[in-house]
Amino acid sequence: MFRNYVVIAFRNLWKHKLFSVINVVGLASGIMVCLLALIDIKGAFDYGNFHPHPERTYRILTDVTGNDNQTTAFATTPLPLADVLKREYGFVDQATRVIRDYAEFTVDRKILQESYCAVDPAFFTVLGYKLASGQPATEPNTAVLTPETAEKFFGLSNPIGKVIHHKELGEITVTGVFQPLPIRSHLRFSLVLSMSTLSTPDRKQQQTDWRQYAVGYTYVRLKEGTSVESFEKALPTIAARNTKDLRFKSEKGYTFRAQSMTTLSPSHEDLAMGTWEQTWGKLATEMGVGLVTLLLAVFNYVNLTLARSLSRAREVGIRKVSGAVRWQLMAQFMAESVVLSVLALGVAYLLLLLIEPMPFVQQWLIGGVELNGTMWAVFVGFSIAAGLLAGFVPARVLSGFRPAQVLRSQTGLKVFKGITLRKSLIVAQFSIALIAMIALLSMARQQNYMATADYGFRSENVLNIPLNDVPYQRLANELNRIPGVERVSATSELFGGHGGDWRPVRQQYSGGDSTRAFVFAVDQNFVANMDLTLLAGQNLPEMATDTNGEGSLGRFVLVNEEAVKAFRLGNPREMVGKPLWLGNTEVTIAGVLKDFRFTTFNWAIKPLVLSYQPRQFRYVNVKIASGAEASALADIQRIWKRLNPYDPFVGQWYNDFLYQRHSHEDDIDFMSLLTGLAFSIACLGLLGMVTYTTETRIKEVGIRKVMGAEVRQIIWLLSWDFVKLLLIAGAIAIPLGYLAGMAFLINFAYHVSIGFETLGGCIGLLLGLGGLTIGVRTYRAALSNPADSLRSE
């Protein structure tokens, strides 16, 4: 019997090819989004599978209680904790610490900023990151590189035994290279240093200070047979014993607890100083988006199947007269929906392969996850469940037709007494799609605004060149000789990014009046090159540096208006000549600059200090005359090749830098895909609704045409009810979409507004797509021959 159901299902699907294709594509779109979410959920449980003995390995968390009695969970701990656990508790097999940070490393005159972890020797055995060659980094000033970092630093040559340089840590010898790191890992780094390499006074002080709980991570592996309860009981005792004599500034204290590596991902809580593990909230959001998309597709299946109900009514009547009971008819219709859903699964997989290369999909959803037999079983089970869900309502309705009614005549046959439910589904579909589109367009406009806005400094015809250890003055002298080059300046960071060195600046050396400010190192040409405006005072003076590379130039700084407000030193003119302390160095304010936006638009303008520190220069800014860009660029590349033949030229126009930094095209493309799917599914649902209504009113159309109605009048008659649904959807979606867009934009100190250009454009697209869908179907109905529809009663 089941075989007959399947055969009949395929026959019906083949007979109604258009409806079958529409249903398959609609369900495939929804299933594809759900598959993406299922893959990411599966990947979330794969985190840490490569760690040896995860069942008895734990990460220690710190629960910090503030003065307001609010508790915040940190993934980090004080660094002395690991030594105490290993020294005083016999059930601890091994313990290791991990410190994450970013730093600049110099290799063969190349300056590269990389993420690194400083670790204890036990790191390699406790967490199980395997080496492809060489030895672990256990001695002072040693490091192990990832394969990608090794190639970036040393090309294809063997990196073991070679040296990388760090301005504070000195020379670091490479002792090994990791195997390719697991993609699904809660720790991500470019290289690993031995903990003993961090030998600066500040770093040594951190390793004994119980007050600093946000520095590093502590991992512990227990001995076999150890009771977890005894370990968990010991942690609060350790915290109480080592903090009883400590005084905190804004905390009452803290305690420790253990987090098993088997439950690290998905995480049940958001941890301060967290790592890269997945969270249940993110997974639930992804699955929610997938289910909503699938639900829209299910609505379509219901609408399209019921639209075909008139053509299936006689079939139901004949089957019932022949002795079929209702459950058999329901089984037949459910089998059709399941077959359709399984076909949709195949199409969904093809769509998945099509979008898999998208960077966003690779980075967040698919990367590192293998589709094994279990995953395919889940996919098939999910598609069958989706088919049963989609087919239940049509099967219930169609199997309920009465034979006497459907065999006598189909005239007046109604699937529902009213179609309010189906109209509501159409309104819901288009409302959801329109809300998503308004939010997406708001995001896209904000990203474009950040990428192309006027930041208040010059970005036109300015070429940024990373120095990569090329002497700045030598390069500047060469560049100034090139025809078309108007001015050359230097800076430590590029404006328009995420800021420079965010550090405390004081008015007095020992005072408690420090204010945090962004500190950039620039030269005396920078202000003119960037078209910055001096409100008071003068530019950095032009003087030669001394043998230390600082000179008197390093004793003068420029600040912005926001810094004047932060230090409460009056107006800009009163600020000039006042002293400030940058760390242990006293400087004098030479001038005050007009405020401009030098960081991301997430933040309001912050205090800014520009100082002359030649050792920190990392970029050259070359201002080129209009019309001379091509010739000047060719000359610059030739000079670069002569001065630095080992590094490729990676100069970038300032406008291109701002656009790439803020446009986030990959994310917008992926969200556009989801929004496009939602609108496509909604239009398919509208098509089903229009098809159903025109078929039930076909005799009415025939009569009206016989009575002299014109085609345009009939089109308007059939379309108006659907246009009203679109307008209702628009009325619902506009305020909700506005709120959704503002929920995103409110995160930015400077953002676009949501006005007619956003709302009007989305409504126009809604009416355009919906009107096209309605118009095509009603136009065909209006052109039908009245003789065909009125031939029989």
Side-chain angles (χ1 to χ4, degrees):
M1 184 172 62
F2 177 76
R3 179 177 177 275
N4 291 335
Y5 287 158
V6 174
V7 171
I8 295 173
F10 272 108
R11 287 176 179 172
N12 280 308
L13 295 177
W14 183 256
K15 181 180 179 181
H16 305 280
K17 299 181 183 66
L18 176 61
F19 282 100
S20 298
V21 169
I22 292 175
N23 275 326
V24 167
V25 172
L27 286 174
S29 301
I31 290 176
M32 182 201 69
V33 181
C34 289
L35 294 187
L36 284 173
L38 290 173
I39 290 172
D40 201 33
I41 291 173
K42 192 264 182 184
F45 286 94
D46 289 344
Y47 274 72
N49 284 353
F50 64 94
H51 297 307
H53 310 293
E55 73 285 351
R56 53 190 178 94
T57 304
Y58 296 85
R59 181 172 70 176
I60 312 302
L61 307 181
T62 305
D63 290 325
V64 181
T65 303
N67 291 330
D68 56 359
N69 291 325
Q70 297 293 321
T71 299
T72 303
F74 282 75
T76 51
T77 63
L79 293 180
L81 176 62
D83 290 335
V84 171
L85 285 170
K86 190 172 181 181
R87 183 177 63 250
E88 300 181 6
Y89 293 89
F91 51 71
V92 173
D93 182 19
Q94 294 191 68
T96 185
R97 301 166 298 174
V98 176
I99 297 176
R100 293 191 305 164
D101 207 344
Y102 289 86
E104 285 185 351
F105 297 93
T106 303
V107 180
D108 294 333
R109 301 198 304 175
K110 291 186 295 187
I111 301 177
L112 300 171
Q113 187 169 6
E114 303 292 343
S115 62
Y116 72 88
C117 286
V119 302
D120 292 317
F123 167 85
F124 298 91
T125 54
V126 172
L127 296 184
Y129 289 92
K130 299 184 181 301
L131 271 62
S133 59
Q135 301 295 326
T138 58
E139 299 298 325
N141 292 84
T142 57
V144 177
L145 312 181
T146 65
E148 297 79 10
T149 306
E151 183 175 355
K152 188 186 299 183
F153 281 178
F154 303 105
L156 300 179
S157 61
N158 184 7
I160 297 177
K162 294 188 177 180
V163 174
I164 59 179
H165 300 267
H166 185 274
K167 62 182 180 181
E168 292 182 356
L169 306 177
E171 294 186 351
I172 302 170
T173 303
V174 178
T175 62
V177 177
F178 285 107
Q179 293 182 4
L181 298 183
I183 296 178
R184 298 280 173 169
S185 172
H186 74 287
L187 290 177
R188 298 180 186 178
F189 48 82
S190 298
L191 66 157
V192 162
L193 309 178
S194 62
M195 186 67 71
S196 54
T197 302
L198 304 184
S199 56
T200 61
D202 288 343
R203 291 295 191 179
K204 287 184 176 180
Q205 192 267 340
Q206 286 177 347
Q207 297 182 28
T208 59
D209 191 350
W210 287 92
R211 279 187 292 263
Q212 299 192 44
Y213 51 80
V215 178
Y217 306 86
T218 300
Y219 299 86
V220 174
R221 188 165 73 192
L222 304 181
K223 294 181 179 178
E224 291 189 37
T226 300
S227 169
V228 177
E229 289 75 14
S230 60
F231 174 54
E232 292 177 336
K233 288 180 181 178
L235 292 175
T237 304
I238 297 173
R241 185 174 70 241
N242 289 281
T243 61
K244 63 180 181 180
D245 296 327
L246 296 181
R247 293 184 179 180
F248 297 94
K249 292 182 178 179
S250 57
E251 304 91 1
K252 289 186 175 180
Y254 59 75
T255 187
F256 301 128
R257 58 187 167 97
Q259 180 186 38
S260 173
M261 295 296 286
T262 58
T263 61
L264 194 69
S265 178
S267 174
H268 293 274
E269 58 184 326
D270 291 326
L271 300 173
M273 301 294 293
T275 45
W276 292 92
E277 63 271 11
Q278 299 274 36
T279 63
W280 276 110
K282 175 179 178 292
L283 299 179
T285 301
E286 291 174 358
M287 198 64 206
V289 171
L291 291 177
V292 168
T293 309
L294 181 61
L295 189 60
L296 296 179
V298 168
F299 289 168
N300 278 359
Y301 182 84
V302 172
N303 285 340
L304 292 171
T305 303
L306 294 182
R308 289 175 47 209
S309 60
L310 297 181
S311 64
R312 305 295 298 272
R314 291 190 184 278
E315 175 189 344
V316 172
I318 293 173
R319 286 178 180 274
K320 281 195 170 184
V321 169
S322 301
V325 295
R326 186 170 187 178
W327 73 265
Q328 292 174 318
L329 293 172
M330 287 189 66
Q332 173 63 53
F333 293 122
M334 297 282 277
E336 290 184 18
S337 65
V338 169
V339 169
L340 202 70
S341 182
V342 172
L343 291 175
L345 174 62
V347 176
Y349 181 67
L350 295 178
L351 293 175
L352 193 63
L353 294 179
L354 187 65
I355 69 168
E356 184 177 357
M358 294 179 66
F360 182 89
V361 177
Q362 276 295 317
Q363 182 177 1
W364 295 106
L365 298 176
I366 293 181
V369 178
E370 297 182 0
L371 300 183
N372 52 27
T374 302
M375 284 299 296
W376 275 109
V378 172
F379 290 169
V380 173
F382 185 84
S383 66
I384 291 175
L388 294 175
L389 174 66
F392 178 76
V393 172
R396 182 79 178 173
V397 172
L398 296 178
S399 64
F401 287 158
R402 295 180 179 180
Q405 180 185 11
V406 298
L407 293 177
R408 179 170 60 248
S409 173
Q410 295 181 16
T411 303
L413 180 64
K414 296 293 183 180
V415 177
F416 295 119
K417 292 181 180 179
I419 55 173
T420 304
L421 173 62
R422 301 185 62 203
K423 288 183 178 179
S424 300
L425 296 184
I426 295 297
V427 171
Q429 286 180 313
F430 274 97
S431 296
I432 293 172
L434 189 56
I435 291 170
M437 174 160 287
I438 293 173
L440 173 65
L441 186 56
S442 300
M443 295 172 61
R445 291 185 63 238
Q446 175 64 22
Q447 308 293 7
N448 184 71
Y449 170 61
M450 294 191 297
T452 60
D454 180 10
Y455 280 71
F457 60 85
R458 180 185 179 90
S459 58
E460 293 283 342
N461 293 348
V462 174
L463 184 69
N464 298 319
I465 307 173
L467 281 169
N468 287 351
D469 210 29
V470 174
Y472 160 64
Q473 199 59 54
R474 181 180 178 187
L475 178 60
N477 292 339
E478 296 282 352
L479 295 177
N480 279 319
R481 298 192 185 102
I482 297 176
V485 172
E486 296 182 347
R487 189 178 289 106
V488 178
S489 62
T491 180
S492 58
E493 295 287 344
L494 297 179
F495 288 164
H498 293 285
D501 186 10
W502 180 243
R503 55 191 288 191
V505 180
R506 301 187 305 275
Q507 297 182 48
Q508 300 177 7
Y509 179 73
S510 59
D513 56 352
S514 67
T515 297
R516 282 194 169 271
F518 283 104
V519 180
F520 286 75
V522 301
D523 70 345
Q524 61 272 15
N525 297 322
F526 188 80
V527 171
N529 216 13
M530 293 291 104
D531 286 345
L532 304 181
T533 303
L534 269 171
L535 297 179
Q538 59 182 357
N539 189 17
L540 296 175
E542 297 187 16
M543 294 178 65
T545 60
D546 59 17
T547 56
N548 295 322
E550 301 297 339
S552 57
L553 286 176
R555 303 301 182 185
F556 291 92
V557 298
L558 301 174
V559 299
N560 65 349
E561 294 175 275
E562 189 62 30
V564 176
K565 298 175 184 177
F567 288 114
R568 301 177 182 177
L569 292 178
N571 59 49
R573 293 187 180 276
E574 294 174 342
M575 190 78 170
V576 175
K578 296 291 178 65
L580 291 178
W581 286 89
L582 298 178
N584 295 324
T585 303
E586 184 180 20
V587 296
T588 301
I589 298 175
V592 178
L593 297 168
K594 181 180 179 181
D595 277 342
F596 62 96
R597 292 175 287 199
F598 59 90
T599 62
T600 172
F601 279 24
N602 291 74
W603 305 326
I605 296 176
K606 303 290 185 181
L608 171 68
V609 177
L610 302 182
S611 67
Y612 183 84
Q613 304 290 336
R615 292 181 178 178
Q616 298 180 18
F617 290 165
R618 297 177 57 218
Y619 296 93
V620 169
N621 319 108
V622 186
K623 182 179 178 181
I624 299 175
S626 297
E629 295 91 350
S631 59
L633 181 60
D635 292 336
I636 292 172
Q637 290 175 331
R638 186 175 61 255
I639 290 174
W640 177 266
K641 188 174 182 180
R642 175 162 52 84
L643 296 180
N644 192 0
Y646 303 102
D647 291 336
F649 179 78
V650 290
Q652 185 180 32
W653 296 104
Y654 219 134
N655 283 341
D656 294 339
F657 164 77
L658 294 175
Y659 189 85
Q660 292 180 11
R661 175 62 65 94
H662 299 293
S663 60
H664 300 286
E665 290 182 335
D666 295 337
D667 296 352
I668 296 298
D669 289 345
F670 185 75
M671 295 186 66
S672 299
L673 172 66
L674 295 181
T675 305
L677 289 176
F679 256 109
S680 300
I681 293 172
C683 288
L684 291 176
L686 183 62
L687 176 63
M689 187 71 170
V690 175
T691 302
Y692 170 78
T693 303
T694 53
E695 287 189 6
T696 59
R697 300 179 68 179
I698 192 67
K699 291 187 181 296
E700 176 190 347
V701 171
I703 293 172
R704 289 182 180 275
K705 292 192 72 174
V706 169
M707 298 300 292
E710 297 180 3
V711 172
R712 60 181 179 84
Q713 293 174 317
I714 295 175
I715 292 176
W716 178 252
L717 176 71
L718 297 177
S719 301
W720 173 238
D721 285 342
F722 303 111
V723 173
K724 286 192 294 186
L725 298 181
L726 298 182
L727 294 176
I728 293 172
I732 294 173
I734 284 178
L736 296 179
Y738 179 85
L739 293 176
M742 287 305 301
F744 171 76
L745 296 178
I746 201 172
N747 295 304
F748 298 88
Y750 309 100
H751 58 76
V752 298
S753 60
I754 302 179
F756 179 78
E757 67 281 355
T758 300
L759 301 178
C762 292
I763 290 293
L765 183 60
L766 167 72
L767 295 177
L769 291 176
L772 181 63
T773 304
I774 296 169
V776 170
R777 192 66 189 88
T778 55
Y779 179 73
R780 290 182 59 188
L783 291 179
S784 62
N785 190 346
D788 295 333
S789 58
L790 299 176
R791 182 178 302 165
S792 61
E793 274 293 333

